[in-house]
Amino acid sequence: MTSQTMRHLMVDCETLGLAVDAGVWQLAIREFTIDPVAGVSFVEGGLELNALIDQVTVSDNVKAGRQSMDWSTILWLEKQEAAPLFKHWARLTHGLFHFDTIMVYDESNRSYVLDENCAGCSVGFVLDTLQTFEAMEDSEVHYWSKGKEFDKPILENMFKASGLKAPWKYYNFHCVRDAFALPYLLRGENPPRRKAKTHNAWDDCAEQLGLLGETFNVSKDKTLTKIVIDKQRMLHNGIEALVDVSH
């Protein structure tokens, strides 16, 4: 299948913890293209979704044990560049242990729990958007994130917590971090480590596309191409040698 029959979506989510069942408060999805000559770029007029997930849904799921939150992550989020956006979603106020609506003190168990007074995008709307996109053309949709061991299972649990199923096929979800690292590893080099700067899902999608762009440029290096060809030739010769010995 050629690149002309593929469509690509960059995905990033911001969460209330690091566990696989962590609540998702922001989800960004941006369509992009991979051109053999021009490289990678966002599609003008393509699918773009920058969603603040409905807080009531997150609250209900956390209370029911379908999703989770981590207090240390909440405190960490307040110190990040995306803190104003998070506080907008959560209606947070400044000050340690002092919240407006995302947290209220529960005297019964002396802990902080999610409150329910913030509207946002429904998980069902996210799924409908992706399913509509998938049905638009007779082509495969490929999803990308950094890295897929974080975003993919957390988003799959987000859909599951709402009684829904993620729309992607497991083999069509790819990892930007692995793709970025591969050209360096094939040259015997340690890949540079790039950390997200804003922790805003929309901006992080752009940063992740930039990493794919770097990967595209590095992969066109003739030295890398020669290394790959040499490795393939060595593997082929090794297989032929094994065949000769077996006879």
Side-chain angles (χ1 to χ4, degrees):
M1 182 170 288
T2 65
S3 60
Q4 284 72 30
T5 61
M6 301 179 192
R7 290 179 295 160
H8 301 273
L9 294 176
M10 188 65 71
V11 179
D12 189 77
C13 65
E14 299 300 327
T15 65
L16 300 177
L18 301 179
V20 69
D21 63 347
V24 177
W25 66 272
Q26 185 194 16
L27 170 63
I29 302 171
R30 305 180 69 173
E31 184 181 0
F32 70 97
T33 183
I34 301 177
D35 184 273
V37 177
V40 299
S41 61
F42 286 123
V43 176
E44 184 176 355
L47 174 62
E48 293 184 340
L49 178 66
N50 187 11
L52 297 178
I53 303 300
D54 175 39
Q55 193 197 32
V56 175
T57 301
V58 178
S59 173
D60 289 345
N61 286 336
V62 169
K63 291 176 181 177
R66 294 186 291 267
Q67 290 181 290
S68 66
M69 63 166 292
D70 178 25
W71 177 245
S72 63
T73 299
I74 302 297
L75 297 178
W76 176 84
L77 278 168
E78 287 194 279
K79 301 175 183 178
Q80 305 308 308
E81 188 173 326
L85 180 64
F86 176 63
K87 292 177 181 181
H88 168 76
W89 173 80
R91 302 295 195 271
L92 286 175
T93 58
H94 293 284
L96 188 63
F97 299 110
H98 182 65
F99 295 84
D100 187 3
T101 65
I102 187 177
M103 297 283 196
V104 292
Y105 194 68
D106 183 355
E107 290 289 349
S108 63
N109 60 14
R110 303 183 66 80
S111 65
Y112 285 85
V113 295
L114 283 170
D115 203 0
E116 306 167 292
N117 301 315
C118 182
C121 178
S122 72
V123 176
F125 176 81
V126 174
L127 182 61
D128 288 344
T129 300
L130 292 176
Q131 289 178 332
T132 300
F133 180 79
E134 292 239 10
M136 284 173 59
E137 298 179 17
D138 184 20
S139 60
E140 281 198 322
V141 178
H142 291 259
Y143 297 79
W144 297 76
S145 69
K146 176 194 169 191
K148 74 173 186 178
E149 72 278 358
F150 180 82
D151 299 83
K152 180 176 180 287
I154 288 179
L155 290 174
E156 287 175 344
N157 184 72
M158 178 190 75
F159 287 116
K160 182 180 179 181
S162 293
L164 304 170
K165 184 179 179 180
W168 48 75
K169 303 178 181 67
Y170 74 91
Y171 51 81
N172 278 356
F173 209 113
H174 312 289
C175 181
V176 171
R177 183 180 287 114
D178 288 345
F180 177 72
L182 184 58
Y184 293 94
L185 295 174
L186 288 176
R187 291 202 303 262
E189 301 174 6
N190 286 319
R193 187 179 180 186
R194 305 289 173 79
K195 293 183 178 181
K197 296 179 180 178
T198 68
H199 297 287
N200 178 323
W202 183 260
D203 294 339
D204 287 352
C205 279
E207 181 263 341
Q208 290 162 195
L209 189 72
L211 290 182
L212 275 189
E214 288 187 44
T215 302
F216 180 86
N217 292 331
V218 172
S219 297
K220 292 172 69 176
D221 188 321
K222 292 182 180 179
T223 302
L224 172 63
T225 304
K226 183 178 184 302
I227 290 175
V228 173
I229 292 175
D230 287 346
K231 286 182 178 292
Q232 291 174 338
R233 184 180 295 116
M234 290 170 60
L235 177 61
H236 178 71
N237 292 340
I239 292 175
E240 288 186 337
L242 287 174
V243 172
D244 291 340
V245 170
S246 65
H247 285 78

